[in-house]
Structures are given as C-alpha cells and as structure tokens.
C-alpha cells in the first residue's frame, strides 16, 4: 500500500477547527479516502489588533488506489 | 440555407455528437443526433443563430440526411443553447417536439425577459431584499448580452410534455426520460438502457459545474433538487455519458459525487462566513466569489447561486434567516 500526503491551508473566519474542516472539505471534492489530517502550522491574520482569519496548514493523507481497469 | 463544415463525432453506434457554436462561454454546445433505424432523433437544438443552424444542417448533410428525416426533437431544458432553435427546426422538419411541462412555463418567462426593458417590480424587490444593488448596476446590464431574442426562438407548442419515467419510442430506440431538476426545474436527461448511454444536457458536465440559482419565481430549493438529481442518476447503469458541454466520459457516479462534494464545500465556506456575522446573499457572494469587476450578469448569477445555497442550508436546519432593515440576512450558530 502507498499513501500520499498533500498540504493545504484552510482559512476560517471563526476557528482553527473550522479551518481544518474547510481544507478537508475542499480536498474531498477531488480526492477519496482522506484518513488523516495533521496540523502543521497555525497562524492568524490580524487587522486592527483583532484576529480576522485563522490560517491552518494541514497535511492530508490518503491511500493511493490501484486502478488497473476503468 | 448555406451549410458550413460541422464537427461530428460518432460516440456510440448511431449516436452522433455535433458541436454547435455559441455566442458566450462555454463557446460550444453539443447536441446529439441519434440514428433510430429509419427515423432520427435530435437531442437539443443549439441557438437560433444562422451560424448554429448552418452547422447543424452541415452535420446532417455529413450523415447523408436532411431536416425532414428528423422524427423527434427532445429538449433537455429551456435554455437558449438547448432549445433556442426549436421553432425553426419544428417548421423545417415536422418532427414531434418533446419538453418537460415545467420548462414550457420557463420558456414563456424567458421570452418575456429577453424582450423586456428590465426586471419587473416584483423581481426588483426580490433583488433588493437579498442585498443585490440593482440600481447600481442598471436594469439593462442585468440581462446577458447573448440573450438576444433573435437567438431565442423556442417553440411554445411542443407535441408532448415529458414526465419522469416516460419512454419515448423513436424508430427502434427507446429514450427513457429521467427528470433531473436543479439547473432548470424541468431539466431531463435521456437514458438509452440497451446502449447504456445517458444524454445528460447540463446536469453532469465533466469540467464545469452547472449554474443552480434561486431567482424570482424559482422553486423553493433548486440546489436541494439538484443534489437529489445527482443522487438519482447514480441509480442507473451507464457506460457512456454524453454532456452538452465538454467531452463524453464514462464514470457518471464519480462525477455526480464530485459535484455533490463541491457544493458541500461551497456551503461550508458560506456557513463559515455567516457564523461570524449575519449577512445577506449579496454580501456572502462578494466574499466567496470575489468583488472584482465582472460582467453584471456574472455578479447576479453568483448572488443567486449563493442564495440557493443559503436557502438549502436554511431548509435543512443548518442556517436561519431573518429580516433586518428590509433585507433577508442569514446566520449560522
């Protein structure tokens, strides 16, 4: 079995958890079988001394499927 | 009518894909000409533009037939690229015309809209209630430039109004009608069970997602309908999918699931915004689709696709809506 990892940045106006979920939801549009999300970094966008966005870098891992037949 | 060279491709035995030009993006619509052994069926018509009609006639010529060999013209939905030439083709061919009952109503409305100076008072109020600043953009700018009444000449006298599950026999073929509301309320796809071919109109496109918007006079939940229609087509055994835009493809279930996931993601993005503060559909659309300068019609489409999302979320209990200063705002807790 081979697995693959991609790195995405989820951006949420609300929370770190929501940013992670958005990254997973976007990846799931084109990828099946994502089984792990590892948080690599958390940052916040700050405007006028307030957090306006959470930017969470996530590494998503999925199994590379064998496709011998269409 | 002068014919021009047309691109014709046989995608399955006796099923021909014809590329017809469009005055907008996407710049090509595929219509399908099906040899039914003695009789021919045409699925969708292209616009009523001279270039499109000539290309269609050229394609028929390449297959050695003329318009009078068409026995049936079946339209997937009421949009300009799918039934714009149906009146002219009905006149030229004498073929039986088929369309879903709900699309006949949309045809009447679209003809009125194409010929109008601007939105009705009722539509204007609807736009304003959802935050769309109709006066800033101007009434004429709301109508896409390609919605030329000369290109939109659909027949308002079809011979048959289709319903879900109908079988349309043409020669030796049997077209099963599958009602797939969403992109349009009476959108239908056509299924040839023996050949396992599904002619899908705009329901399942390989590269782009069809527009699903909530407009004045729309059904209550077009996006919910669209997602249910994406689930519905997965029940059929399909070997080849024939779309109206883009190339043929094989795995209809994969693409249907992908489109469902796309809309789930879009909704998640929108709910994230309205969790922070309540917003109207226009404000949400500006955040999601960007506020850069674009044709007004695109801004309108983005706003009312967003509204379709917000209403879908509200009807399923994931968001709520209330009135604020004469506008409808949505919130997610």
């Amino acid at each position: 079995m081979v697995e693959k990892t991609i790195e995405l940045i989820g951006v949420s106006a609300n929370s770190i958890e929501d940013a992670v979920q958005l990254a997973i939801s976007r990846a799931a549009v084109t990828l099946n079988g994502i089984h792990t999300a590892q948080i690599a970094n958390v940052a916040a966008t700050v405007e006028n001394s307030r957090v306006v966005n959470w930017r969470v870098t996530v590494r998503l891992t999925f199994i590379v499927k064998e496709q011998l037949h269409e | 009518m002068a014919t021009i060279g047309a691109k014709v491709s046989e995608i399955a035995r006796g099923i021909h894909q014809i590329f017809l030009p469009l005055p907008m993006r996407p710049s090509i619509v595929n219509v399908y000409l099906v040899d039914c052994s003695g009789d021919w069926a045409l699925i969708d018509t292209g616009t009523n533009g001279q270039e499109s009609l000539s290309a269609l006639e050229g394609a028929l010529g390449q297959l050695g037939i003329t318009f009078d060999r068409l026995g049936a013209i079946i339209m997937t939905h009421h949009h300009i690229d799918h039934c714009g030439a149906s009146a002219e083709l009905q006149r030229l061919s004498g073929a039986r015309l088929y369309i879903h009952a709900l699309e006949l109503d949309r045809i009447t409305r679209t003809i009125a809209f194409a010929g109008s100076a601007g939105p009705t008072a009722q539509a204007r109020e609807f736009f304003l209630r959802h935050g769309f600043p109709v006066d800033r953009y101007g009434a004429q700018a709301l109508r896409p430039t390609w919605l030329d009444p000369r290109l939109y000449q659909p027949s308002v006298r079809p011979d048959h109004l289709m319903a879900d599950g109908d079988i349309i026999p043409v020669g030796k073929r049997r077209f099963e009608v599958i009602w797939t509301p969403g992109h349009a309320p009476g959108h239908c796809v056509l299924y040839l069970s023996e050949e396992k071919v599904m002619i899908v109109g705009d329901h399942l496109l390989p590269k782009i997602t069809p527009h699903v918007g909530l407009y004045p006079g729309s059904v209550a939940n077009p996006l919910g309908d669209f997602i249910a229609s994406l689930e519905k087509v997965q029940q059929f055994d399909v070997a080849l999918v024939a779309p109206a835009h883009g190339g043929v493809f094989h795995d209809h279930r994969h693409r249907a699931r992908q489109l469902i996931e796309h809309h789930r993601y879009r909704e998640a993005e929108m709910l994230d915004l309205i969790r922070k503060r309540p917003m109207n559909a226009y404000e949400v659309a500006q955040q999601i689709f960007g506020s850069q300068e674009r044709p007004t019609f695109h801004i309108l489409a983005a706003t009312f696709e967003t509204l379709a999302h917000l209403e879908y979320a509200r009807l399923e209990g994931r968001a709520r809506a209330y009135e604020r200063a004469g506008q409808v705002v949505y919130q997610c807790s």
Side-chain angles (χ1 to χ4, degrees):
Chain A
M1 185 177 76
V2 173
E3 297 186 338
K4 188 170 182 176
T5 297
I6 60 165
E7 195 169 278
L8 298 175
I9 301 173
V11 182
S12 166
N14 293 288
S15 68
I16 294 167
E17 288 88 343
D18 287 340
V20 172
Q21 187 56 60
L22 278 168
I24 294 169
S25 298
R26 175 60 187 86
V29 175
T30 47
L31 292 174
N32 290 328
I34 297 164
H35 60 77
T36 308
Q38 185 191 10
I39 296 175
N41 190 42
V42 176
T45 310
V46 177
E47 287 176 13
N48 300 322
S49 308
R50 301 189 77 87
V51 171
V52 291
N53 278 322
W54 292 99
R55 297 170 57 83
V56 182
T57 308
V58 285
R59 292 197 188 112
L60 303 175
T61 305
F62 57 97
I63 295 167
V64 178
K65 284 184 187 166
E66 300 295 340
Q67 192 165 10
L68 298 176
H69 306 286
E70 193 169 339
Chain B
M1 187 187 302
T3 62
I4 59 169
K7 193 165 176 192
V8 183
S9 160
E10 188 171 19
I11 59 162
R13 196 185 184 95
I15 303 176
H16 305 271
Q17 182 186 53
I18 302 171
F19 294 9
L20 297 180
L22 293 177
M24 71 284 210
R25 288 178 71 86
S27 58
I28 286 172
V29 62
N30 306 321
V31 302
Y32 293 89
L33 192 58
V34 183
D35 183 352
C36 304
S37 304
D39 219 350
W40 289 75
L42 178 68
I43 317 302
D44 288 333
T45 71
T47 75
N48 197 51
Q50 191 57 49
E51 200 186 343
S52 181
L53 286 164
S54 297
L56 181 59
E57 187 175 36
L60 266 67
Q62 285 183 42
L63 297 169
I65 62 167
T66 47
F67 283 121
D68 58 2
R69 293 288 304 281
L70 295 179
I73 299 171
I74 309 171
M75 288 160 290
T76 58
H77 62 295
H78 73 279
H79 290 160
I80 190 168
D81 45 338
H82 297 265
C83 75
S86 62
E88 178 67 356
L89 294 180
Q90 190 178 35
R91 187 185 70 77
L92 287 169
S93 68
R96 304 182 303 281
L97 234 62
Y98 297 80
I99 195 164
H100 192 278
L102 290 172
E103 294 303 275
L104 191 55
D105 173 58
R106 303 312 298 185
I107 283 176
T108 313
R109 288 165 183 256
T110 308
I111 290 172
F113 178 56
S116 71
T120 62
Q122 188 192 12
R124 195 173 174 282
E125 189 193 330
F126 180 90
F127 293 158
L128 291 171
R129 273 174 61 74
H130 291 290
F132 186 83
V134 62
D135 297 324
R136 183 193 305 167
Y137 294 115
Q140 274 299 328
L142 297 179
R143 195 173 55 195
T145 51
W146 45 260
L147 188 51
D148 180 337
R150 289 168 300 185
L151 302 186
Y152 192 60
Q153 295 286 326
S155 171
V156 292
R157 291 183 190 80
D159 299 279
H160 296 274
L161 294 176
M162 304 189 295
D164 191 38
D166 281 357
I167 302 289
I168 301 174
V170 186
K172 291 182 179 171
R173 304 235 198 209
R174 292 160 59 82
F175 295 85
E176 182 176 344
V177 175
I178 305 166
W179 181 41
T180 49
H183 178 62
H187 189 290
C188 291
V189 308
L190 297 158
Y191 180 53
L192 292 154
S193 60
E194 275 185 34
E195 302 85 341
K196 295 186 182 174
V197 171
M198 188 177 267
I199 301 173
V200 293
D202 284 350
H203 184 55
L204 275 181
L205 301 175
K207 298 286 184 195
I208 54 176
T209 57
H211 174 59
V212 179
L214 201 163
Y215 292 94
S218 281
V219 296
N221 187 11
L223 188 59
D225 293 346
F226 181 61
I227 287 170
S229 298
L230 289 171
E231 300 283 3
K232 184 178 185 178
V233 292
Q234 293 183 58
Q235 295 162 16
F236 292 81
D237 185 13
V238 176
L240 189 68
V241 187
H245 307 283
V248 296
F249 57 101
H250 299 282
D251 192 343
H252 71 304
R253 293 189 180 104
H254 174 74
R255 185 58 181 155
R257 285 194 297 265
Q258 219 172 43
L259 290 171
I260 292 170
E261 289 295 338
H262 164 78
H263 285 293
R264 280 194 186 139
Y265 165 65
R266 272 276 185 253
E267 182 183 301
E269 275 191 310
M270 292 174 188
L271 296 187
D272 188 62
L273 289 172
I274 61 169
R275 197 169 286 129
K276 185 137 186 172
R277 67 176 180 90
M279 291 184 188
N280 62 43
Y282 179 74
E283 290 171 316
V284 175
Q286 292 283 298
Q287 295 272 328
I288 297 289
F289 294 98
S291 54
Q292 69 272 31
E293 197 146 313
R294 283 175 293 164
T296 303
F297 179 68
H298 292 189
I299 301 168
L300 185 85
T303 302
F304 293 102
E305 180 146 332
T306 298
L307 181 61
H309 268 285
L310 295 171
E311 272 299 292
Y312 178 46
R314 184 185 71 79
L315 289 165
E316 298 229 327
R318 295 185 292 274
R320 66 189 182 90
Y322 59 92
E323 289 252 352
R324 190 183 64 186
Q327 292 186 344
V328 181
V329 292
Y330 291 82
Q331 189 168 30
C332 173
S333 49

